């Protein structure tokens, strides 16, 4: 550790990189104070997909209001109704979570049912196709046999005439 002024080899002067104009992010909110006091400014390198997500997230933060309900007063103690408000808020949140769980379970069951249904339909179609092919082969053999019998009859009738 050195105290006092830095030596000649300790410091290097480097040109700051130019800011890329390819990043089309909306401007950040102004920082309180005259300027940044940071020694190093961090500018993340984002892919196009990350840029889109960043823009969407910033737009959501700017446009969605923050609601705070049932805030306690600035007095030191809590009032007699605060516990009842807490219970009511807790019950509402529990109900909301329960509804979310029920909705998730329904969606999961519907998805699983549709998957099983597709598998059953596919298996039934395969069985039907196999049986259809078997019937067609049977009809073809029967037709060929009838043609052979008809051909033999014609030959036999020609022999009798001839």
């Amino acid at each position: 550790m050195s105290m006092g002024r830095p030596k000649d080899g300790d410091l290097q002067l480097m040109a700051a990189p130019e800011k890329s104009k390819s990043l089309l992010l909306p401007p950040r909110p102004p920082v309180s104070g005259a300027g940044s006091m940071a020694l190093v400014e961090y500018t993340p390198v984002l892919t196009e997909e990350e840029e889109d997500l960043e823009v969407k997230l910033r737009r959501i933060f700017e446009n969605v209001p923050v609601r705070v309900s049932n805030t306690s007063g600035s007095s030191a103690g809590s009032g007699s109704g605060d516990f009842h408000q807490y219970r009511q808020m807790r019950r509402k949140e529990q109900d909301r979570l329960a509804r979310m769980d029920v909705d998730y379970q329904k969606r999961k069951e519907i998805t699983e049912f549709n998957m099983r249904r597709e598998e059953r339909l596919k298996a039934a179609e395969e069985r039907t196709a196999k049986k259809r092919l078997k019937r067609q082969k049977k009809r073809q053999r029967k037709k060929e046999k009838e043609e052979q019998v008809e051909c033999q009859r014609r030959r036999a009738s020609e022999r009798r005439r001839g």
Side-chain angles (χ1 to χ4, degrees):
M1 289 198 174
S2 67
M3 300 294 276
R5 294 187 326 190
K7 297 179 185 173
D8 290 334
D10 291 343
L11 294 178
Q12 289 183 348
L13 292 176
M14 296 179 69
E18 293 183 24
K19 292 190 175 182
S20 172
K21 294 185 179 180
S22 66
L23 295 177
L24 300 174
L25 297 176
R28 294 185 183 260
V31 179
S32 62
S36 175
M37 297 299 291
L39 296 175
V40 178
E41 187 175 317
Y42 174 70
T43 55
V45 179
L46 301 174
T47 63
E48 187 174 321
E49 184 176 310
E50 290 172 338
E51 286 179 32
D52 293 341
L53 292 175
E54 183 73 23
V55 170
K56 288 178 185 178
L57 186 62
R58 195 168 296 150
R59 191 175 301 136
I60 288 171
F61 281 144
E62 291 170 358
N63 295 327
V64 175
V66 176
R67 285 186 236 138
V68 179
S69 60
N70 292 333
T71 56
S72 299
S74 61
S75 62
S78 59
S80 60
D82 286 348
F83 176 69
H84 302 293
Q85 286 180 351
Y86 163 75
R87 268 200 336 196
Q88 182 182 15
M89 289 185 336
R90 184 170 176 260
R91 187 178 67 240
K92 284 182 181 178
E93 181 67 11
Q94 296 273 339
D95 291 343
R96 187 182 73 85
L97 292 174
R99 283 193 309 270
M100 285 173 54
D101 286 342
V102 167
D103 185 46
Y104 172 76
Q105 288 298 328
K106 281 183 183 178
R107 287 183 182 183
K108 185 178 173 184
E109 288 172 3
I110 288 171
T111 305
E112 289 175 356
F113 170 77
N114 286 335
M115 286 175 51
R116 287 193 310 268
R117 182 173 179 258
E118 289 295 325
E119 289 173 3
R120 286 193 309 265
L121 289 174
K122 187 177 177 182
E125 180 61 33
E126 288 174 0
R127 286 193 307 267
T128 304
K130 187 176 178 181
K131 289 180 181 180
R132 182 185 313 122
L133 183 63
K134 192 174 178 181
R135 285 192 304 271
Q136 287 174 350
K137 285 182 180 179
K138 186 177 179 182
R139 282 190 210 122
Q140 185 67 29
R141 283 195 304 265
K142 184 177 179 182
K143 190 175 181 181
E144 288 173 0
K145 190 173 184 180
E146 287 175 357
E147 287 176 359
Q148 276 184 345
V149 169
E150 183 64 31
C151 186
Q152 287 175 357
R153 285 183 190 162
R154 272 191 259 138
R155 287 183 189 162
S157 65
E158 286 176 5
R159 285 185 201 154
R160 286 185 222 145
R161 281 190 245 160

